[in-house]
Amino acid sequence: MAGHFEPIPGGGAAVALDEVEISILRSLAVQMLELIGPGDEPVEGEDPLAALFAVGPSEPPADPALARLFPDAYAGPDADADDEELQALSSEFRRFTEKDLRSRKRDDALTVVRGLDSLTVGDEGGAVLKVSADDCPHWLGALNDLRLTIGTRLDVSDDDENGDLYRLPDSDPRKPMVMAYLWLGALQETLVDTLMS
């Protein structure tokens, strides 16, 4: 079980993590929460139903990592940047979906933090994290978001799958992020395999 998810009886998954892995994973999830930003709490006295139907932003985020997490629905990388109709459709779609998407991503990251905070590290410096079947989709979403964010910061592309990025010398300042990117990918892959078995 060390380093990868395995199924547990009754549904869900478990993974053995050492103290350093717990700390790194928690730190990354907290950074994701900071990147996504705080939730919109209804103002005191505001109609909760009106707050539920409030619209979000219509422009894509300026931060490339946020733009990757909250992409345009209609205007992709191959779309004509001057196509006003696609821009209008993307803007309208974003206004009505980004708020909920941010909330879901925030819930995913919070589920990771809460799960890690509930661990009791043993004498050997590790713990077995058990993720319930209900929390597995949150973990999967958070792991995916973390990989997308780190991949964007590293400027990973499809061309880099076997590229120089994965053979960086230890002295390269990007090396820790690359290692985290690869580790998160392994966790994500084993969680998917566990859920599909």
Side-chain angles (χ1 to χ4, degrees):
M1 179 185 314
H4 62 275
F5 280 99
E6 292 183 2
I8 55 176
V15 62
L17 300 169
D18 64 31
E19 281 183 282
V20 173
E21 292 169 329
I22 293 167
S23 176
I24 290 170
L25 198 49
R26 187 183 188 289
S27 174
L28 290 171
V30 168
Q31 289 175 54
M32 177 62 62
L33 287 167
E34 292 170 358
L35 180 66
I36 293 170
D40 295 329
E41 295 296 322
V43 177
E44 189 174 328
E46 182 180 347
D47 179 5
L49 187 59
L52 181 65
F53 290 104
V55 295
S58 60
E59 295 297 318
D63 182 320
L66 284 173
R68 183 72 175 101
L69 292 173
F70 305 106
D72 277 335
Y74 297 99
D78 299 329
D80 180 4
D82 296 326
D83 189 330
E84 291 180 18
E85 183 179 354
L86 282 180
Q87 288 179 354
L89 289 171
S90 290
S91 177
E92 190 72 4
F93 186 82
R94 180 179 299 282
R95 283 182 54 226
F96 293 107
T97 60
E98 187 172 314
K99 183 179 171 196
D100 288 339
L101 186 56
R102 277 184 186 267
S103 178
R104 193 194 84 221
K105 289 181 181 299
R106 194 175 300 107
D107 289 346
D108 292 348
L110 280 170
T111 298
V112 169
V113 171
R114 289 179 183 134
L116 294 170
D117 285 351
S118 71
L119 292 177
T120 302
V121 177
D123 293 338
E124 296 179 16
V128 174
L129 171 72
K130 293 182 180 178
V131 181
S132 70
D134 289 341
D135 284 346
C136 280
H138 293 289
W139 272 82
L140 198 53
L143 291 171
N144 185 61
D145 291 343
L146 290 170
R147 284 196 77 232
L148 285 173
T149 301
I150 292 172
T152 302
R153 297 287 190 236
L154 289 170
D155 203 22
V156 172
S157 68
D158 291 338
D159 299 334
D160 294 324
E161 281 304 316
N162 294 310
D164 294 334
L165 190 61
Y166 301 102
R167 293 186 292 277
L168 293 175
D170 290 342
S171 59
D172 192 301
R174 298 172 295 168
K175 182 77 175 211
M177 279 201 339
V178 170
M179 298 304 294
Y181 178 78
L182 296 172
W183 175 58
L184 291 168
L187 285 176
Q188 183 181 15
E189 183 178 347
T190 61
L191 182 55
V192 168
D193 289 346
T194 296
L195 295 176
M196 294 183 72
S197 63

